[in-house]
Amino acid sequence: MRVALHSEIRENAVDSYRERHVRIPDDLVAAFGRLGIHEWTIWRSGRRLFHLVDCDDWDAAAAGLRDEPADQAWQRDIGRFVELFRDADGNEGTAPLELIWDLAAQRDGRP
Protein backbone atom coordinates (compact mmCIF):
# COMPACT_ATOMS: atom_id res chain seq x y z
CA MET A 1 0.00 0.00 0.00
CA ARG A 2 1.05 3.60 -0.50
CA VAL A 3 0.14 6.41 1.89
CA ALA A 4 0.93 10.11 2.02
CA LEU A 5 1.54 12.05 5.23
CA HIS A 6 1.85 15.78 5.89
CA SER A 7 4.03 17.45 8.50
CA GLU A 8 5.39 20.93 9.07
CA ILE A 9 8.89 22.05 9.97
CA ARG A 10 9.42 24.55 12.78
CA GLU A 11 10.32 28.10 11.84
CA ASN A 12 14.00 28.37 10.81
CA ALA A 13 14.57 24.59 11.05
CA VAL A 14 14.58 23.64 7.35
CA ASP A 15 18.36 23.39 7.05
CA SER A 16 18.70 21.32 10.23
CA TYR A 17 15.88 19.02 9.15
CA ARG A 18 17.47 18.57 5.74
CA GLU A 19 20.89 17.83 7.32
CA ARG A 20 19.40 15.17 9.62
CA HIS A 21 17.96 13.41 6.59
CA VAL A 22 21.19 13.14 4.60
CA ARG A 23 21.39 9.68 6.17
CA ILE A 24 18.99 8.46 8.84
CA PRO A 25 20.23 5.95 11.45
CA ASP A 26 20.86 2.44 10.12
CA ASP A 27 18.94 0.85 13.01
CA LEU A 28 15.88 2.88 11.97
CA VAL A 29 16.25 1.71 8.37
CA ALA A 30 16.40 -1.87 9.67
CA ALA A 31 13.30 -1.30 11.79
CA PHE A 32 11.44 0.00 8.74
CA GLY A 33 12.29 -3.24 6.94
CA ARG A 34 11.08 -5.39 9.84
CA LEU A 35 7.83 -3.44 9.98
CA GLY A 36 7.09 -3.74 6.27
CA ILE A 37 8.04 -0.20 5.24
CA HIS A 38 9.68 -0.57 1.82
CA GLU A 39 10.13 3.04 0.73
CA TRP A 40 9.72 6.48 2.27
CA THR A 41 10.32 9.75 0.46
CA ILE A 42 9.85 13.28 1.79
CA TRP A 43 9.07 16.31 -0.37
CA ARG A 44 9.20 19.91 0.89
CA SER A 45 7.29 23.07 -0.02
CA GLY A 46 8.28 25.90 2.30
CA ARG A 47 7.81 24.56 5.82
CA ARG A 48 5.39 21.85 4.64
CA LEU A 49 6.59 18.28 4.20
CA PHE A 50 4.83 15.59 2.23
CA HIS A 51 5.83 12.00 2.94
CA LEU A 52 5.11 9.18 0.51
CA VAL A 53 5.35 5.78 2.19
CA ASP A 54 5.20 2.39 0.47
CA CYS A 55 4.45 -0.30 3.06
CA ASP A 56 2.59 -3.53 3.66
CA ASP A 57 0.14 -2.05 6.20
CA TRP A 58 0.46 1.55 7.42
CA ASP A 59 -1.58 1.07 10.61
CA ALA A 60 0.51 -1.95 11.63
CA ALA A 61 3.78 -0.19 10.77
CA ALA A 62 2.80 2.94 12.70
CA ALA A 63 1.83 0.83 15.72
CA GLY A 64 5.14 -1.04 15.53
CA LEU A 65 7.12 2.18 15.31
CA ARG A 66 5.64 3.42 18.59
CA ASP A 67 7.37 0.53 20.41
CA GLU A 68 10.58 0.62 18.35
CA PRO A 69 13.61 1.98 20.28
CA ALA A 70 15.27 3.19 17.07
CA ASP A 71 12.21 5.26 16.17
CA GLN A 72 11.83 6.58 19.71
CA ALA A 73 15.43 7.87 19.57
CA TRP A 74 14.85 9.31 16.09
CA GLN A 75 11.66 11.09 17.19
CA ARG A 76 13.48 12.66 20.16
CA ASP A 77 16.12 13.99 17.74
CA ILE A 78 14.03 14.98 14.73
CA GLY A 79 11.13 16.21 16.86
CA ARG A 80 13.15 19.34 17.64
CA PHE A 81 12.63 20.39 14.02
CA VAL A 82 9.08 19.16 13.33
CA GLU A 83 6.20 21.40 14.34
CA LEU A 84 3.47 18.76 13.93
CA PHE A 85 1.80 16.25 11.63
CA ARG A 86 -1.58 17.02 10.07
CA ASP A 87 -4.33 14.66 8.93
CA ALA A 88 -6.38 14.96 5.73
CA ASP A 89 -8.62 17.64 7.28
CA GLY A 90 -5.67 19.76 8.45
CA ASN A 91 -6.05 18.78 12.09
CA GLU A 92 -3.12 17.59 14.16
CA GLY A 93 -2.59 13.85 13.64
CA THR A 94 -0.68 11.23 11.67
CA ALA A 95 -3.57 9.73 9.71
CA PRO A 96 -2.72 9.39 6.01
CA LEU A 97 -3.85 12.06 3.61
CA GLU A 98 -6.91 11.38 1.47
CA LEU A 99 -6.09 10.01 -1.99
CA ILE A 100 -8.01 12.06 -4.55
CA TRP A 101 -6.75 10.65 -7.86
CA ASP A 102 -4.30 7.99 -9.07
CA LEU A 103 -3.16 7.85 -12.71
CA ALA A 104 -2.14 4.19 -12.53
CA ALA A 105 -5.50 3.22 -11.03
CA GLN A 106 -7.32 5.05 -13.82
CA ARG A 107 -5.18 3.37 -16.47
CA ASP A 108 -5.85 -0.02 -14.88
CA GLY A 109 -9.58 0.62 -14.59
CA ARG A 110 -9.51 0.59 -10.77
CA PRO A 111 -11.69 2.98 -8.77
Side-chain angles (χ1 to χ4, degrees):
M1 79 184 306
R2 190 175 50 170
V3 299
L5 308 170
H6 172 215
S7 61
E8 296 178 11
I9 301 174
R10 294 184 192 281
E11 188 77 34
N12 300 316
V14 171
D15 291 337
S16 297
Y17 184 88
R18 187 184 294 117
E19 289 168 9
R20 289 294 192 282
H21 282 85
V22 168
R23 182 176 177 91
I24 69 168
D26 290 334
D27 58 345
L28 183 57
V29 172
F32 285 170
R34 285 192 307 277
L35 294 169
I37 298 172
H38 308 293
E39 186 63 50
W40 192 315
T41 56
I42 303 172
W43 302 84
R44 183 180 73 83
S45 176
R47 291 179 41 219
R48 296 172 185 220
L49 300 172
F50 299 91
H51 308 246
L52 185 58
V53 183
D54 179 17
C55 58
D56 295 334
D57 179 327
W58 171 251
D59 291 334
L65 284 172
R66 283 191 288 276
D67 297 326
E68 177 57 51
D71 189 59
Q72 292 167 358
W74 175 250
Q75 294 306 321
R76 281 191 301 275
D77 180 43
I78 204 66
R80 297 177 292 153
F81 311 113
V82 177
E83 182 87 22
L84 53 80
F85 272 80
R86 293 192 182 276
D87 65 15
D89 294 321
N91 300 314
E92 188 171 350
T94 58
L97 298 177
E98 178 186 3
L99 175 62
I100 299 295
W101 178 75
D102 184 327
L103 175 61
Q106 181 173 324
R107 286 181 176 154
D108 296 344
R110 293 179 278 136

